Amino acid sequence: MITLNRSYIWFAVIFWDNCSDDETSYIAQSFDSRMKYFRSDLYTTLGEARNEAVSRAEGEYIAFLDCDDIWEREKLQLQVTFMDEHNDVGLLLTNFKIMNMLSNKTISSNNPSTDMELGYSNFLCDYKYCLSTSMIRKSALEKLSMWFDSHLQYVEEYDFFARIAYHWNVYYLSSVTTTYRVHKNMNSIKLSG
């Protein structure tokens, strides 16, 4: 969920509509000119949809927000400031909280409470990050032969982050910038159910 009322105002939203059959088009187009709305003619995998959105991004940094997650107002300002000051960082992740819509409870993630540099091995051995907390330097994508692997389901961001971490420094901020919502319509819940 995004509101355009952010502490950092120099952003655009690439809204990729993956063949929705509700009022998504009307709602997305009701925002100001920072909302760039695109609709797919055919339903695509999540990886393909994300690649389509990334290909339309024009800024120096790319951040993701799944439609069921929520950003804190200061998220973009915090991350842009950090990325501007650390040119060697290709991927920046933050802490998040989990809102369980099934139990109506919000809990903290099990992520560290201190800022730290992450290495490639963090993605291989202990993956516990949330796509909606990420910010990626667009130039970090240039070293990748592909972005999100459209053949993968449920782990496409893990693979994507690991490949960025192989080439670039990655950093984690302990500040909570995102609420990750768990609900019955999530792909991962449907898979386990």
Side-chain angles (χ1 to χ4, degrees):
M1 173 197 304
I2 188 162
T3 62
L4 300 187
N5 180 20
R6 309 269 104 204
S7 61
Y8 183 81
I9 61 169
W10 302 107
F11 68 91
V13 175
I14 307 298
F15 190 114
W16 187 260
D17 182 345
N18 203 5
C19 287
S20 66
D21 59 2
D22 55 18
E23 300 293 319
T24 298
S25 171
Y26 173 77
I27 294 167
Q29 294 179 57
S30 70
F31 288 94
D32 66 38
S33 62
R34 290 177 288 178
M35 180 73 74
K36 313 296 183 190
Y37 174 79
F38 299 92
R39 180 178 165 79
S40 178
D41 293 330
L42 300 170
Y43 182 81
T44 62
T45 65
L46 195 51
E48 287 175 284
R50 289 180 173 151
N51 287 335
E52 290 290 345
V54 169
S55 73
R56 288 161 173 81
E58 297 177 359
E60 184 179 356
Y61 306 122
I62 297 171
F64 296 90
L65 179 61
D66 285 344
C67 62
D68 46 6
D69 295 339
I70 304 168
W71 279 351
E72 296 295 325
R73 187 174 188 277
E74 303 293 327
K75 178 193 187 289
L76 294 178
Q77 183 68 61
L78 174 74
Q79 289 186 298
V80 167
T81 299
F82 184 92
M83 295 290 269
D84 283 349
E85 294 172 355
H86 299 85
N87 292 327
D88 60 325
V89 173
L91 168 63
L92 179 61
L93 299 164
T94 70
N95 206 349
F96 60 97
K97 56 188 172 186
I98 303 164
M99 180 188 293
N100 189 326
M101 306 295 282
L102 305 173
S103 66
N104 204 26
K105 292 182 181 174
T106 300
I107 60 171
S108 298
S109 71
N110 289 327
N111 284 339
S113 58
T114 56
D115 298 353
M116 66 179 65
E117 188 169 347
L118 300 175
Y120 179 67
S121 63
N122 290 98
F123 294 93
L124 299 180
C125 304
D126 191 24
Y127 184 78
K128 55 187 172 188
Y129 307 101
C130 171
L131 177 71
S132 291
T133 73
S134 68
M135 181 170 280
I136 298 165
R137 190 176 302 279
K138 193 169 184 185
S139 57
L141 303 178
E142 295 169 2
K143 289 194 179 243
L144 302 180
S145 59
M146 68 175 161
W147 299 332
F148 290 96
D149 187 336
S150 60
H151 297 98
L152 297 176
Q153 291 185 350
Y154 313 112
V155 296
E156 67 281 344
E157 76 269 7
Y158 161 77
D159 169 71
F160 180 56
F161 289 167
R163 287 184 288 112
I164 291 173
Y166 186 78
H167 297 286
W168 283 79
N169 290 332
V170 178
Y171 209 83
Y172 163 81
L173 298 177
S174 59
S175 300
V176 172
T177 67
T178 303
T179 299
Y180 175 78
R181 293 198 291 186
V182 176
H183 53 85
K184 66 180 180 180
N185 293 322
M186 296 175 70
N187 286 337
S188 53
I189 297 288
K190 290 177 183 177
L191 177 69
S192 64

